[in-house]
């Protein structure tokens, strides 16, 4: 049985997109991540949480990191498409968010897909044909773009959970971290921004 690594929580040591180095309890994990994930990780030395996918080949074990489960799900679905490997899947995730990609597939928008790095017309057509049914497996009932509000709530919850875990890692008690974050919930779009707001608010009220 292959050992799987599904999530990493540690300290960001190096960041040179798409390459990352994360220190987890003294062990340095090398990962590759889409630019969209690298952009929200903050600065060197900051705590980070990444959802991961381990690709095992005969000549290498490569770990990929993502800022949320939605990105990882799309990555895993993309690499099942004929002719789409991890490198192209990362490029797609770097150039388009999950909802936008799903909209393009369902609308059969070849022009939008061909604007992504490494995606030509034939690849775009293949993505539409092969991804259309696969996307239905993890979208809510009805067109994906009609369920944006539900996905936004889920995304906000994920950001809140990641921010809380990071504050706990910094030494705050769970109840204290939750109280700090509740005061600034909904005011940020990334865990890092939410943490900064929570810390600023806490210091301002000290």
């Amino acid at each position: 049985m292959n050992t799987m690594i599904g999530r990493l929580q540690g300290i960001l040591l190096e960041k040179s997109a798409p390459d990352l180095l994360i220190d987890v309890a003294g062990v340095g994990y090398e990962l590759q991540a889409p630019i969209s994930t690298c952009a929200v990780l903050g600065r060197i030395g900051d705590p980070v949480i990444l959802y991961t996918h381990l690709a095992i080949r005969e000549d290498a074990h490569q770990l990929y990191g993502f800022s949320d489960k939605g990105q990882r799900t799309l990555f895993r679905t993309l690499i099942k498409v004929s002719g789409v490997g991890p490198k192209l899947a990362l490029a797609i995730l770097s150039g388009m968010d999950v909802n936008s990609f799903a909209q393009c597939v369902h609308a059969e928008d070849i022009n939008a897909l061909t604007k992504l790095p490494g995606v030509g017309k034939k690849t775009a057509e293949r993505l539409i044909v092969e991804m259309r049914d696969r996307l239905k497996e993890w979208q809510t009932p009805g067109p994906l773009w009609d369920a944006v509000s539900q996905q936004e709530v889920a995304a906000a919850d994920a950001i809140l959970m990641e921010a809380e875990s990071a504050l706990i890692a910094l030494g705050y008690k769970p109840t204290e971290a939750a109280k700090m974050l509740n005061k600034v919930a909904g005011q940020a779009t990334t865990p890092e921004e939410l943490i900064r707001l929570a810390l600023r608010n806490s210091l301002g009220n000290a």
Side-chain angles (χ1 to χ4, degrees):
M1 180 181 293
N2 293 328
T3 300
M4 299 303 294
I5 302 173
R7 181 177 178 272
L8 289 179
Q9 179 174 343
I11 303 298
L12 180 63
L13 295 182
E14 296 178 10
K15 179 173 68 170
S16 180
D19 299 312
L20 300 172
L21 180 62
I22 310 295
D23 178 14
V24 181
V27 178
Y29 286 84
E30 293 182 341
L31 305 91
Q32 288 193 339
I35 293 174
S36 52
T37 289
C38 295
V40 301
L41 289 183
R43 297 173 296 181
I44 302 300
D46 284 351
V48 295
I49 298 174
L50 290 171
Y51 294 96
T52 58
H53 173 82
L54 179 61
I56 300 176
R57 304 197 313 260
E58 291 185 3
D59 58 341
H61 289 193
Q62 177 64 55
L63 196 60
Y64 299 93
F66 309 92
S67 58
D68 58 63
K69 289 183 179 180
Q71 279 195 337
R72 184 178 66 181
T73 300
L74 181 54
F75 176 85
R76 287 175 169 174
T77 308
L78 282 168
I79 59 177
K80 294 177 182 178
V81 175
S82 175
V84 177
K87 184 177 180 180
L88 181 54
L90 284 185
I92 291 171
L93 284 165
S94 294
M96 189 175 287
D97 62 46
V98 175
N99 282 336
S100 297
F101 179 81
Q103 289 182 33
C104 288
V105 169
H106 286 288
E108 299 186 6
D109 191 343
I110 292 178
N111 289 334
L113 291 174
T114 54
K115 293 179 182 178
L116 293 168
V119 178
K121 185 177 180 180
K122 289 185 178 179
T123 301
E125 292 172 345
R126 191 182 308 120
L127 285 170
I128 289 171
V129 171
E130 297 193 31
M131 290 293 293
R132 189 163 43 210
D133 291 334
R134 291 173 180 174
L135 285 173
K136 292 178 182 178
E137 297 175 3
W138 52 285
Q139 72 178 42
T140 54
L144 188 61
W145 51 92
D146 288 341
V148 171
S149 59
Q150 294 183 24
Q151 292 177 346
E152 287 177 343
V153 170
D157 288 344
I159 289 171
L160 197 62
M161 290 176 62
E162 291 188 29
E164 184 174 343
S165 296
L167 286 174
I168 293 171
L170 289 173
Y172 290 92
K173 295 179 180 179
T175 53
E176 188 177 14
K179 185 177 179 180
M180 291 168 62
L181 291 169
N182 284 337
K183 292 181 179 179
V184 295
Q187 299 179 32
T189 57
T190 67
E192 290 74 20
E193 290 176 0
L194 195 58
I195 291 167
R196 283 193 284 269
L197 285 173
L199 291 173
R200 189 181 305 135
N201 184 70
S202 178
L203 291 173
N205 294 331

